[in-house]
Amino acid sequence: KRKGHSAIGYEDKEGEHMVVFGGRKNSRVYYNDVWQLSLSKNGAWKWKELSPNNASKNIFSPSPRNHHSGIYYQGEMIVYGGRSDHSLYKTHEEIWGFDLTELTWRRIDNVNKMVRPHPRMEHCSDAYLEDMIMFGGQGDNGLRKNDVWKFSLRTNQWKQLQENNCNQFSDEATATFVGMFVLFLGITLCLYRSYVNSHSRHGYSPI
């Protein structure tokens, strides 16, 4: 049993899969393992742990954490943010990619880049074209946020999207459509108009 984990879905020649990373059992036990639930072509469900192949080679992997986000992009599970200590609001800012074929972790974001969002948890992220779109969450000391950022999975660079007109939330859910980013904020639906072309207008509007 766990909570605060992330999960993604994808399909390959073997069938349909859900991949789960991290989460916590209680306030003291956090996880950084990867599990896959697969639906085979014959309709059977099966859990399997995806143990990283580079774990024995002293290559860094994400620390145990919960309340991070996860998306699927070109054969990888992309993990961002989260928290590893229930007693402290100490949140993460790094981005990791887990190759679902090679079963290896890699650090994606450039740690030397100055432009980046503040560390956070309980945010939401979704994939759109070659970008990860991230909204809101909760930072260190419990400060809630309502900013929107995009991370280019092609150039590995962050860029802030300037419109910040929603109330501050954490624990959001999202859905992405062409040119739109829909946020489910507990009792409010808010539409963030994304960047279809250079003339698109960024901004929120209630639904």
Side-chain angles (χ1 to χ4, degrees):
K1 295 181 179 180
R2 66 185 64 199
K3 60 182 178 179
H5 53 277
S6 60
I8 62 166
Y10 77 101
E11 185 175 3
D12 62 14
K13 63 181 180 180
E14 303 297 329
E16 299 176 352
H17 314 279
M18 178 181 71
V19 179
V20 173
F21 166 73
R24 68 183 176 96
K25 179 180 179 179
N26 51 45
S27 61
R28 297 179 299 278
V29 179
Y30 285 73
Y31 301 112
N32 67 342
D33 51 353
V34 183
W35 287 81
Q36 179 173 278
L37 176 64
S38 298
L39 175 62
S40 64
K41 296 297 184 181
N42 62 12
W45 292 96
K46 183 179 180 180
W47 279 104
K48 178 177 68 173
E49 185 173 6
L50 304 181
S51 299
N53 288 332
N54 54 4
S56 62
K57 300 177 182 179
N58 295 321
I59 298 177
F60 289 116
S61 60
S63 60
R65 65 190 61 199
N66 74 333
H67 293 312
H68 50 280
S69 63
I71 65 170
Y72 176 81
Y73 178 75
Q74 294 186 353
E76 287 188 303
M77 182 179 190
I78 309 298
V79 174
Y80 168 68
R83 178 180 66 177
S84 295
D85 190 332
H86 186 71
S87 62
L88 300 172
Y89 277 101
K90 182 61 178 177
T91 51
H92 297 288
E93 63 178 352
E94 72 270 21
I95 302 175
W96 294 86
F98 184 73
D99 189 305
L100 296 167
T101 301
E102 301 296 328
L103 304 185
T104 54
W105 283 106
R106 67 185 180 102
R107 177 77 182 266
I108 295 178
D109 56 319
N110 188 334
V111 295
N112 295 321
K113 293 292 183 182
M114 296 299 293
V115 178
R116 62 191 302 122
H118 293 293
R120 67 192 63 205
M121 65 176 183
E122 296 181 347
H123 54 283
C124 58
S125 298
D126 217 333
Y128 177 65
L129 300 179
E130 296 182 320
D131 298 323
M132 177 181 73
I133 310 298
M134 185 274 295
F135 167 79
Q138 188 169 325
D140 293 343
N141 301 318
L143 180 63
R144 297 182 185 273
K145 302 178 181 297
N146 65 349
D147 49 351
V148 180
W149 290 75
K150 71 172 181 177
F151 180 80
S152 171
L153 295 162
R154 179 176 55 85
T155 65
N156 294 347
Q157 294 185 13
W158 281 104
K159 180 180 179 180
Q160 186 172 16
L161 305 180
Q162 295 301 315
E163 296 288 343
N164 298 298
N165 297 324
C166 268
N167 292 328
Q168 295 177 350
F169 293 92
S170 60
D171 284 331
E172 309 91 355
T174 66
T176 301
F177 302 92
V178 176
M180 297 182 294
F181 189 57
V182 180
L183 310 171
F184 179 66
L185 308 170
I187 59 173
T188 304
L189 281 178
C190 193
L191 175 68
Y192 185 86
R193 300 184 185 279
S194 191
Y195 39 91
V196 177
N197 54 53
S198 60
H199 303 291
S200 297
R201 177 180 177 82
H202 301 282
Y204 291 110
S205 59
I207 300 176

